[in-house]
Amino acid sequence: MLSAAIQILAFALALLGVLGAVVATLMPNWKVSINVWTSIMTPISQMQGLWMDCVWYSSGVFSCTVKNSVLSLPPHLQAARTGMVLSCVVALFGLCLATLGLKCTRWGGSHRAKGHTAIAAGGCFILASLLCLVPASWFTNEVITAFLTTDLPDSSKYQPGGALCVTFISAGFLLAGGVIFCLSCPGKRTRRPDCLQVDSVKLEKPTPRKGQEHHSSPSKLPQTDIKDSYSLQEYV
């Protein structure tokens, strides 16, 4: 497994990514209109987000309108809503797994179990980054295409807003944290040391072969030989 310091760095990157994804989901400036100058030279900025449309005046007045109807939204906006919400949920689940997979924590099981938990957390972070990148890329493409192809006046055109930048940066943080956590794969089990194998061999008793007789010393003779020696002495 990786060292504890690198895992903490990956956790910090993933945490920044989660916070950025949540903030980007709630921000109202996914696309921003070009500043419009009225007859009295008052600039107006119109912003559209995933959940509301806002208008900001130079006088400080800021008004927003919530998008209540879901079916009336364009497909890229519906996909952005779904993707960002799923990304936040998956990333938060990955944070819970990451706290269990950190080497500096006491919970989470054994060393090998922590490695598998860290890999699962990394997979959640990578999936969350993809759920950020895909809808954000689609949304950006729609905004740029509409800006370049339509013949509308500049006051009715929109350009990508700051929420998209936050989304892409957050996806990069999540991807980096996920890749680092996925590198926490536990190594293979090591083989038993040779000393243990030698001890097991020593404990095994040798078995004598069939038909082979072994005498500890030549002084220990069979009983028949001893009887024969006694009979010869008596005869002499």
Side-chain angles (χ1 to χ4, degrees), residues 2 7 9 17 32 59 92 99 115 120 129 137 176 184 194 200 219 231:
L2 296 176
Q7 280 192 338
L9 175 62
V32 182
S59 59
L92 289 175
T99 55
S129 67
S137 301
S184 301
D194 297 337
S200 62
S219 61
S231 62

Side-chain angles (χ1 to χ4, degrees), residues 23-84:
V23 171
T25 304
L26 301 176
M27 289 178 68
N29 57 342
W30 278 65
K31 63 178 181 178
V32 182
S33 66
I34 302 175
N35 291 336
V36 179
W37 296 85
T38 60
S39 58
I40 57 176
M41 303 300 291
T42 302
I44 301 175
S45 177
Q46 298 179 357
M47 296 175 288
Q48 293 185 9
L50 301 180
W51 312 99
M52 62 184 68
D53 298 337
C54 299
V55 179
W56 178 79
Y57 299 89
S58 62
S59 59
V61 179
F62 191 82
S63 62
C64 295
T65 303
V66 180
K67 299 177 180 179
N68 295 321
S69 178
V70 179
L71 298 178
S72 62
L73 299 176
H76 67 277
L77 188 56
Q78 295 181 6
R81 276 187 173 187
T82 306
M84 293 303 295

Side-chain angles (χ1 to χ4, degrees), residues 129-175:
S129 67
L130 294 178
L131 290 173
C132 280
L133 286 174
V134 173
S137 301
W138 188 7
F139 194 95
T140 305
N141 182 55
E142 290 292 333
V143 173
I144 295 175
T145 303
F147 184 86
L148 296 177
T149 57
T150 57
D151 296 332
L152 296 175
D154 293 340
S155 59
S156 300
K157 291 184 178 181
Y158 290 87
Q159 58 187 358
L164 287 172
C165 299
V166 176
T167 303
F168 286 117
I169 295 174
S170 302
F173 284 153
L174 288 172
L175 183 61

Side-chain angles (χ1 to χ4, degrees), residues 200-222:
S200 62
V201 172
K202 289 182 179 179
L203 292 176
E204 296 179 357
K205 295 181 179 180
T207 56
R209 298 180 181 178
K210 295 181 179 180
Q212 179 179 5
E213 296 179 359
H214 178 73
H215 302 286
S216 60
S217 62
S219 61
K220 294 182 180 181
L221 299 175

